[in-house]
Amino acid sequence: MPSYEIAVIPGDGIGPEVICEAVKALNALAPRFGFKANLKSYPFGAEHYLRHHEVLPPGAFDDIGAASALLLGAVGDPRVPVGPLEQELLLALRFRFDQYVNIRPTRSWPSAPVPVSLPEGAETDILVVRENTEDFYMNLGTSGNSRGLRAAMPVDRRLYRGEARVELELEPPVEAAFTLGILTSPGTLRVAERAFRLAEERGERVMYSATKSNALPHLYGFWDRTVAEAAKAHPGVKLKNINVDNLAYQLARAPHLFGVLLCPNLFGDIISDLAAGITGGLGLAASANIGDGLSMFEPVHGSAPDIAGTGKANPLAAVLSVSLMLDHLGEREAADALETAVETYLAKSPRVMLPYELDGGAPCQKVGDLVVQAIEGRL
Ligand code: NAD
Ligand code: IPM
Ligand code: MN
């Protein structure tokens, strides 16, 4: 019987609430589909940070890295300054395990109202493929007094603005900040290649690549050229470049016209929240951070401190992240069964049994119980 070591970081806010329900679904699937899931939970997040004055203990990455997959809830807590948990835990995991592609599917679901009027019979089925280790997320920058900043500038100690070099104003000194967006050809090629393959598997004729090369031609012109290179090996899928601002507009108007959306890191972050909002809510948006080593599965949403502890969190994004994880582990039947169970639950439940996010009245734990009932064919 296949056996998987699953590392679990429930994290902060609604993270532990939704992960509890996701784990219930995983445990219900294992005996039915003949695999074993050995869970190892790590108490990292705000509590650990406040108690031990560190984000992660030494050796944590090595320990987590031995797992078959990592399931994460969310991090971030109002008691902790913004930054360390997001940078040194979440983003550090993506970087440390070189999880270079972030797959974020969103689609229409039964009982999930779409806040956009679609033509009769039309549905949404969007797959954001987000580059996950480069762009502005490299966090190479600084802020401070312009005198010191000029010394830290990477290029001839000057700022570039288009082709013109612009000296950073020194007198009088001003407060200023910069951060570098970096793209590399291997980094762009590997995520583009993955996006094209996913588009082919889905039978898409078109794939969109969303940038802002009109405003930032150095960075995103490079992306456009590199993605066009990758496109040559995939003649069955037509590559369409789109400005990301226009994509945001078009998505809000006619989301059913879009399928695979390849995005650089920062735009992919924003577009995936938008896609989630259009297709039923963040509580239904799952994601997979895929690398050649350890991959990580997590809801798109954060720790939602505004609803933590109220029972209002929708755990389905975490549940569906387990489906993405099972698919990655090769347990495709179990993965499909879980997605079907979520669909059955949403289709068959009266309003009062739906998550609060979908205007229902079922607390997080109840939603998890109903998904388990659907898995077991008792719904
Ligand atoms: P958020 O995603 O936590 O919340 C945005 C809005 O969506 C809130 O109104 C929230 O109540 C709602 N929401 C989110 N998930 C929901 C769910 N499952 N069910 C119902 N409603 C849900 O974004 P934010 O408020 O910008 O961030 C809060 C904290 O989370 C911050 O510290 C942020 O840095 C962190 N964050 C972490 C991750 C992660 O760990 N992967 C992702 C995003 C944000
Ligand atoms: C996400 C989050 C993270 C990101 C934050 C918390 C750093 O918004 O996973 O979408 O920007 O990638
Ligand atoms: Mn985000």
Side-chain angles (χ1 to χ4, degrees):
M1 181 186 292
S3 180
Y4 306 105
E5 308 301 317
I6 309 296
V8 184
I9 303 180
D12 303 321
I14 64 168
E17 301 169 30
V18 298
I19 286 298
C20 179
E21 306 314 313
V23 164
K24 261 163 44 181
L26 178 63
N27 287 336
L29 288 160
R32 301 192 145 246
F33 289 89
F35 65 87
K36 220 169 165 306
N38 304 314
L39 305 180
K40 183 168 179 186
S41 189
Y42 295 86
F44 305 143
E47 279 303 333
H48 183 95
Y49 181 79
L50 289 169
R51 195 166 304 158
H52 302 286
H53 310 288
E54 64 176 15
V55 174
L56 293 173
F61 280 138
D62 291 336
D63 205 61
I64 293 168
S68 326
L70 167 61
L71 184 63
L72 183 135
V75 293
D77 184 305
R79 295 170 300 163
V80 170
V82 176
L85 295 173
E86 289 86 348
Q87 299 289 326
E88 294 166 41
L89 202 163
L90 178 73
L91 297 179
L93 283 163
R94 292 180 188 160
F95 279 94
R96 169 67 167 73
F97 296 105
D98 198 22
Q99 295 162 348
Y100 58 89
V101 52
N102 189 191
I103 295 176
R104 299 186 150 190
T106 48
R107 45 161 283 205
S108 298
W109 292 94
S111 306
V114 174
V116 176
S117 63
L118 301 179
E120 189 63 30
E123 299 215 312
T124 60
D125 187 4
I126 296 167
L127 184 69
V128 175
V129 181
R130 171 188 179 190
E131 197 287 315
N132 216 26
T133 55
E134 298 193 336
D135 199 20
F136 290 104
Y137 275 73
M138 285 188 166
N139 203 22
L140 300 168
T142 189
S143 62
N145 183 279
S146 56
R147 283 184 178 151
L149 212 63
R150 200 175 94 139
M153 286 304 298
V155 191
D156 290 345
R157 298 184 173 191
R158 289 159 197 263
L159 288 174
Y160 277 88
R161 193 176 291 154
E163 292 307 310
R165 289 174 167 198
V166 180
E167 289 281 354
L168 193 57
E169 199 65 59
L170 286 182
E171 297 300 337
V174 290
E175 289 301 302
F178 77 87
T179 199
L180 289 175
I182 294 184
L183 295 172
T184 67
S185 135
T188 306
L189 280 174
R190 61 186 182 174
V191 70
E193 178 60 30
R194 181 62 72 103
F196 277 112
R197 274 194 278 128
L198 287 164
E200 282 165 352
E201 280 167 26
R202 286 166 51 111
E204 304 278 357
R205 292 187 163 180
V206 172
M207 186 181 91
Y208 287 89
S209 167
T211 58
K212 253 324 260 187
S213 34
N214 52 356
L216 298 168
H218 294 297
L219 190 63
Y220 296 124
F222 175 85
W223 170 281
D224 292 349
R225 288 194 300 280
T226 311
V227 173
E229 263 317 297
K232 289 181 182 161
H234 303 275
V237 179
K238 187 171 166 45
L239 171 65
K240 284 197 184 175
N241 292 322
I242 186 166
N243 290 321
V244 70
D245 47 350
N246 181 24
L247 175 62
Y249 172 70
Q250 303 288 346
L251 276 175
R253 309 263 306 176
H256 60 288
L257 298 181
F258 292 90
V260 177
L261 308 176
L262 171 62
C263 300
N265 208 339
L266 182 57
F267 300 149
D269 177 44
I270 298 162
I271 290 295
S272 54
D273 265 41
L274 177 59
I278 288 164
T279 54
L282 273 171
L284 278 161
S287 89
N289 301 268
I290 307 284
D292 296 331
L294 180 79
S295 292
M296 171 167 74
F297 302 83
E298 49 163 350
V300 168
H301 64 71
S303 55
D306 54 338
I307 55 166
T310 65
K312 291 195 172 161
N314 180 357
L316 296 176
V319 168
L320 291 165
S321 298
V322 166
S323 174
L324 294 177
M325 181 176 84
L326 289 169
D327 190 46
H328 179 76
L329 292 170
E331 297 292 341
R332 180 159 274 200
E333 272 183 51
D336 289 347
L338 184 50
E339 192 172 345
T340 305
V342 170
E343 190 154 1
T344 306
Y345 152 63
L346 289 174
K348 288 198 174 172
S349 296
R351 172 168 283 226
V352 54
M353 293 299 185
L354 291 172
Y356 283 96
E357 191 188 31
L358 304 183
D359 298 328
C364 186
Q365 195 186 330
K366 180 74 185 164
V367 176
D369 290 343
L370 291 164
V371 170
V372 169
Q373 283 183 33
I375 291 169
E376 294 173 348
R378 294 189 285 115
L379 206 66

